[in-house]
Amino acid sequence: EKFLTAELRKNIVKNIKDIAKKESDQDINIHTKPEENVSSNDTTITDTDSLASIEEKIILLLLNYGAYEIDAEIPDENGNIICQSIRLDQYIFNDFTEEGLSFQQPLFQKIFEEYAVIAEKSSDQDDIKKAFVNHEDAEIQQFALEHLMKEEIEISPEWQRRFEVSTDHVNNSNYKLNEEVYKSVLMFKYRFIEQFLDFLMSEIKKNPAENILDNLLKKCDILNKRKAELGKLMDMVIAK
């Protein structure tokens, strides 16, 4: 797909609004307490990987490279994983839509939703950048003016150390872009889950009724397991 599909754009806001309802309606048959769940792996995560900083990184990837193609592992119509070229923005929007994810920073969520509208009618990445730099929303315009000056994607020393991207391939822009997108989305999901777990634990500390407590514990169990899965995926990046 050359541009973001119209149907995907229409579904973005709806999926985001549905996430809370889907969580509360989910029928789960697990009864272990959160402290009994499998813990995450030993992947070191620093303050530089805060949810806000990861959200900003993803937004900047969209604004700078959204129309670029990356090589992504995605399921085909039979459920088999294949490597396929896809636009960076389409990959991120597909992933966020499928998992019901949204940005916690209001500005980033606003840019994310606006990006879908702008990208659909833009011919290339320069058009997308120009639209944001000249955006009628002052807050969006200010962010674009402050962050759309750098031409090359930067990989922090911490990312290089943890994911061992200081290799012979690091000078390959396509390789760098693929790795940065993949790692950033994984880390976003990891931090997103952590934040939701914090919320659930705060609710548990309020000593709710037994039926409510049981439901909270079930959700904690599922989220802890998902968090562990994401940790393993990040370790797989290290092993590459």
Side-chain angles (χ1 to χ4, degrees):
E1 295 156 332
K2 190 174 181 182
F3 305 109
L4 287 173
T5 61
E7 190 61 30
L8 174 60
R9 180 172 63 81
K10 291 176 184 177
N11 287 334
I12 290 169
V13 177
K14 180 180 182 301
N15 279 318
I16 289 170
K17 290 180 178 178
D18 285 347
I19 183 173
K21 186 177 185 304
K22 288 196 304 184
E23 287 290 343
S24 61
D25 291 344
Q26 195 172 21
D27 183 17
I28 306 165
N29 295 313
I30 300 173
H31 299 281
T32 53
K33 296 182 180 180
E35 59 265 28
E36 296 173 335
N37 293 326
V38 60
S39 61
S40 177
N41 59 30
D42 295 327
T43 299
T44 303
I45 298 176
T46 69
D47 290 339
T48 59
D49 301 317
S50 69
L51 183 57
S53 66
I54 295 300
E55 288 187 350
E56 180 177 272
K57 182 184 286 290
I58 292 174
I59 288 297
L60 291 177
L61 283 168
L62 284 172
L63 295 181
N64 281 297
Y65 307 102
Y68 289 41
E69 287 197 345
I70 61 172
D71 297 320
E73 293 183 350
I74 58 178
D76 62 14
E77 57 185 13
N78 298 317
N80 300 315
I81 301 299
I82 60 173
C83 186
Q84 179 177 314
S85 292
I86 184 174
R87 274 182 46 143
L88 184 153
D89 50 18
Q90 193 75 61
Y91 173 78
I92 290 177
F93 272 80
N94 286 349
D95 205 34
F96 271 54
T97 301
E98 289 169 6
E99 299 213 24
L101 299 172
S102 62
F103 291 91
Q104 301 305 291
Q105 298 294 320
L107 172 60
F108 297 152
Q109 183 59 34
K110 183 164 58 172
I111 292 175
F112 186 67
E113 295 171 7
E114 191 66 13
Y115 182 95
V117 178
I118 291 173
E120 188 181 6
K121 56 187 178 183
S122 298
S123 60
D124 55 31
Q125 194 65 38
D126 285 340
D127 279 354
I128 294 173
K129 289 182 179 181
K130 290 175 184 176
F132 277 98
V133 168
N134 297 292
H135 203 281
E136 60 184 12
D137 185 300
E139 189 178 23
I140 290 178
Q141 183 187 61
Q142 184 62 31
F143 180 86
L145 288 170
E146 291 177 357
H147 294 87
L148 294 183
M149 303 302 292
K150 294 182 179 180
E151 293 297 326
E152 288 296 326
I153 191 168
E154 293 184 358
I155 299 179
S156 69
E158 179 60 27
W159 276 116
Q160 290 185 355
R161 183 193 67 76
R162 187 183 325 132
F163 293 100
E164 296 181 356
V165 297
S166 295
T167 68
D168 293 337
H169 300 287
V170 76
N171 292 321
N172 184 295
S173 295
N174 186 61
Y175 172 83
K176 289 165 61 177
L177 192 56
N178 273 274
E179 289 294 294
E180 198 72 7
V181 172
Y182 183 63
K183 291 178 300 193
S184 296
V185 171
L186 282 179
M187 185 58 71
F188 173 82
K189 293 176 182 178
Y190 190 93
R191 287 302 200 190
F192 188 90
I193 287 176
E194 278 192 331
Q195 188 175 83
F196 196 31
L197 279 170
D198 286 343
F199 166 74
L200 292 177
M201 293 307 296
S202 68
E203 292 298 302
I204 289 174
K205 290 178 181 178
K206 295 178 182 178
N207 296 317
E210 185 175 351
N211 63 321
I212 297 177
L213 176 61
D214 186 56
N215 187 46
L216 291 172
L217 292 175
K218 291 173 183 177
K219 289 183 178 181
C220 283
D221 185 81
I222 280 188
L223 289 174
N224 272 311
K225 288 180 178 178
R226 177 57 175 154
K227 181 180 173 184
E229 290 172 0
L230 290 170
K232 290 179 181 179
L233 287 174
M234 287 189 281
D235 270 352
M236 288 174 64
V237 176
I238 297 175
K240 281 186 178 180

